[in-house]
Amino acid sequence: MADCLFCKIVAGEIPTNKVYEDDKVLAFGDINPQAPVHILIIPKKHIKSLEDVSNEDVELLGHIQLVASKLAKENNLNDGYRLVNNCGVDGGQTVAHIHYHLLGGRTFGWPPG
Ligand code: AMP
Ligand code: ZN
């Protein structure tokens, strides 16, 4: 997707603080961190949002959760963390390329705002 910010990051056209990469996913530090650890995990494949996933994405979505768990361990988030997907306008999604926020290093409230 030519006009997608996160596709440009995948293509290496925009620099990021990369913390993990494999053939399917990329993870990098959020530019506006909301917690001591705030990592974005994205598929390299352009998918607009969780609204747009299909059966063929099941393995990819599971893989993202495994990467999140691995990165949480690497960052010593031993007391817990939050993995968030904002979907659509009501969910607060601002970048139209599916991504998961791995947040940790502080205690989070519930319900979210
Ligand atoms: P969301 O609001 O769930 O769509 O999350 C989008 C996230 O992308 C926000 O937390 C932004 O701070 C983050 N973001 C936007 N541009 C960049 C960038 N160039 N590098 C890293 N994170 C970014
Ligand atoms: Zn994209």
Side-chain angles (χ1 to χ4, degrees):
M1 279 282 285
D3 234 18
C4 171
L5 174 67
F6 285 176
C7 282
K8 285 181 181 158
I9 286 175
V10 169
E13 292 166 16
I14 296 173
T16 55
N17 173 19
K18 182 168 76 180
V19 297
Y20 177 85
E21 181 172 17
D22 62 29
D23 57 328
K24 297 188 207 75
V25 310
L26 183 66
F28 49 92
D30 194 292
I31 204 167
N32 183 22
Q34 302 299 315
V37 174
H38 188 169
I39 295 169
L40 297 177
I41 307 167
I42 71 172
K44 290 187 168 178
K45 171 187 173 182
H46 181 85
I47 302 171
K48 196 170 136 212
S49 82
L50 199 54
E51 269 288 287
D52 299 284
V53 297
S54 62
N55 275 337
E56 72 176 34
D57 300 313
V58 166
E59 192 187 333
L60 177 61
L61 295 170
H63 181 62
I64 286 172
Q65 296 217 35
L66 283 178
V67 169
S69 175
K70 172 185 152 65
L71 289 173
K73 287 188 183 81
E74 274 180 25
N75 282 274
N76 301 310
L77 302 180
N78 305 316
D79 293 330
Y81 51 89
R82 193 166 283 181
L83 184 66
V84 174
N85 170 256
N86 295 327
C87 179
V89 175
D90 279 359
Q93 184 176 5
T94 61
V95 177
H97 179 130
I98 193 170
H99 52 279
Y100 289 77
H101 299 254
L102 175 64
L103 296 146
R106 68 175 174 87
T107 303
F108 299 102
W110 192 264

